């Protein structure tokens, strides 16, 4: 026969004390100040892209301001959707950030029939870092001295254009529709490998973020034929805008920003907005981003929420106009 088990008064008091200590410990852990451990910034593209460059600048400055390490984690693939899905599913505790862009959070809804994340609903869009006009480039040895040379060539024989991001894909398709040219689209995981194949002659031209091709243009390895900004690029004043060349409806401009998973506490998102905005006011950061063709443009949380919603509508319409079939 099993004997009944009895607890002494001392046992009961000891158990109560341990329970109380456990509750206090849990409460203290729940209330530990943010941040108290390393922060990760997910970049959904390969190293060398505009988002990667922005992320590394922000990480370098944000770590000391928050007194914790800030790590950049590149997760490229599937037009940025792999890294974006990862960030969308992360804990909303302020320890996972993502470098967003018009590619991943404006254009993807128009290019995929089913997305594994909602570019607006699954995130709190914290702040815009910059806008980045695109440059249409060819390799320096190509016979295309000006844009019309490329347009005429594309009307007589099929050319091939590379794209390493959803925005680059939509830009190329939009350009073909406006000019009546014929070109085959060649996809890449990100823009840097697309540039590599352009330099190697595997493709004929590319719409790329100015930040990605600046160094190659400065070195004379790539030639710019047209710029998508409203005014000419400061570093390349000899390259005309598409608008100057008669393409009035081509106004695509990419952007990069910072976001966190939905339901991240307001206090954390407000703090991040404040800290990143302060970083973007630092002269060396401004100089570095502007040297890469980025136009620094921070905004408030409310402004950035409205901006990302509007950009999603704009890029979706551009894809529809270019007759791009979602995959």
């Amino acid at each position: 026969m099993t004997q009944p088990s009895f607890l002494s008064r001392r046992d009961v008091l000891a158990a109560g004390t341990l329970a109380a200590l456990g509750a206090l410990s849990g409460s203290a852990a729940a209330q530990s100040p943010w941040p108290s451990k390393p922060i990760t910034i997910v970049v959904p593209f390969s190293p060398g892209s505009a988002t990667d460059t922005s992320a590394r600048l922000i990480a370098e400055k944000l770590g000391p301001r928050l007194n914790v390490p800030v790590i950049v984690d590149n997760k490229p693939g599937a037009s940025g959707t792999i890294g974006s899905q990862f960030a969308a599913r992360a804990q909303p505790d302020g320890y996972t950030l993502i470098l967003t862009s018009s590619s991943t959070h404006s254009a993807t809804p128009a290019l995929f029939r089913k997305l594994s994340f909602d570019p607006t609903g699954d995130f709190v869009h914290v702040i815009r870092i910059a806008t980045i006009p695109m440059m249409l480039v060819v390799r320096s040895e190509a016979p295309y001295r000006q844009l019309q040379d490329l347009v005429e060539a594309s009307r007589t024989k099929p050319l091939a254009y590379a794209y390493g991001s959803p925005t680059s894909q939509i830009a190329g398709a939009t350009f073909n529709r406006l000019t009546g040219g014929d070109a085959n689209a060649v996809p890449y995981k990100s823009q840097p490998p697309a540039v590599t194949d352009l330099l190697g002659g595997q493709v004929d031209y590319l719409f790329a973020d100015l930040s990605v091709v600046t160094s190659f243009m400065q070195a004379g390895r790539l030639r710019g034929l047209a710029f998508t900004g409203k005014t000419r690029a400061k570093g390349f004043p000899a390259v005309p805008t598409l608008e100057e060349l008669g393409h009035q409806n081509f106004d695509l401009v990419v952007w990069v920003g910072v976001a966190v998973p939905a339901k991240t506490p307001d206090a954390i998102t407000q703090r991040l907005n404040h800290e990143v905005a302060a970083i973007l006011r630092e002269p060396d950061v401004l100089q570095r981003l502007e040297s890469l063709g980025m136009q620094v443009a921070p905004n408030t949380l409310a402004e950035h929420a409205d901006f990302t919603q509007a950009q999603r509508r704009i890029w979706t319409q551009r894809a529809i106009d270019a007759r791009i079939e979602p995959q």
Side-chain angles (χ1 to χ4, degrees):
M1 182 175 179
T2 303
Q3 296 295 321
S5 175
F6 296 95
L7 290 175
S8 69
R9 178 179 175 82
R10 184 176 64 182
D11 292 332
V12 172
L13 289 173
T17 301
L18 288 173
L21 287 173
L24 286 172
S25 176
S27 176
Q31 297 175 8
S32 59
W34 178 91
S36 57
K37 62 181 182 179
I39 292 171
T40 296
I41 302 180
V42 174
V43 175
F45 294 105
S46 301
S49 63
T51 47
D52 180 72
T53 300
S54 302
R56 293 181 189 281
L57 276 172
I58 297 299
E60 177 186 339
K61 297 286 187 175
L62 187 61
R65 296 182 72 92
L66 297 178
N67 295 313
V68 294
V70 178
I71 303 161
V72 174
D73 183 11
N74 293 90
K75 291 186 178 297
S79 298
T81 61
I82 291 175
S84 298
Q85 177 185 342
F86 176 87
R89 302 292 181 265
Q91 288 295 318
D93 54 10
Y95 292 102
T96 300
L97 282 56
I98 180 171
L99 255 287
T100 52
S101 69
S102 45
S103 289
T104 54
H105 288 73
S106 296
T108 49
L111 301 178
F112 294 88
R113 295 185 189 280
K114 293 183 69 175
L115 275 179
S116 55
F117 66 96
D118 184 335
T120 46
D122 283 345
F123 298 90
V124 177
H125 288 274
V126 174
I127 190 168
R128 182 177 58 209
I129 295 174
T131 58
I132 315 170
M134 288 180 283
M135 186 71 77
L136 192 168
V137 292
V138 296
R139 60 188 177 279
S140 58
E141 299 85 1
Y144 319 117
R145 311 302 300 182
Q146 55 188 3
L147 184 66
Q148 193 57 32
D149 296 334
L150 180 68
V151 171
E152 290 176 0
S154 70
R155 289 172 178 170
T156 58
K157 62 178 181 179
L159 300 182
Y161 71 91
Y163 68 87
S165 68
T167 47
S168 181
Q169 178 184 5
I170 292 174
T174 299
F175 176 72
N176 285 336
R177 185 182 65 82
L178 292 175
T179 61
D182 184 14
N184 299 314
V186 181
Y188 293 85
K189 285 187 176 182
S190 63
Q191 294 189 66
V195 171
T196 298
D197 271 13
L198 176 61
L199 292 168
Q202 282 82 12
V203 291
D204 297 295
Y205 65 95
L206 166 71
F207 275 93
D209 299 351
L210 181 57
S211 59
V212 175
V213 296
T214 289
S215 62
F216 297 101
M217 293 178 66
Q218 291 172 337
R221 300 183 66 191
L222 291 178
R223 178 187 303 123
L225 298 184
F227 188 55
T228 66
K230 288 296 184 183
T231 59
R232 297 190 181 196
K234 290 181 181 179
F236 305 99
V239 180
T241 67
L242 279 170
E243 187 171 326
E244 288 179 78
L245 296 171
H247 303 291
Q248 306 293 330
N249 296 324
F250 198 106
D251 59 352
L252 299 174
V253 177
V254 302
W255 58 270
V256 292
V258 176
V260 292
K263 299 182 180 179
T264 298
D266 290 345
I268 292 176
T269 60
Q270 291 284 357
R271 174 82 183 278
L272 284 169
N273 179 277
H274 172 79
E275 297 293 352
V276 175
I279 290 169
L280 295 175
R281 290 193 294 268
E282 295 186 20
D284 61 323
V285 174
L286 278 168
Q287 188 279 327
R288 173 65 174 152
L289 292 175
E290 289 176 355
S291 72
L292 294 171
M294 299 185 184
Q295 299 171 349
V296 178
N299 51 6
T300 66
L301 274 161
E303 290 169 344
H304 198 40
D306 291 342
F307 174 79
T308 53
Q309 292 280 0
Q311 285 294 304
R312 180 173 179 172
R313 292 191 295 270
I314 289 169
W315 281 94
T316 297
Q317 188 60 51
R318 293 290 182 274
I320 292 171
D321 293 344
R323 300 182 179 89
I324 296 176
E325 287 292 328
Q327 298 178 1

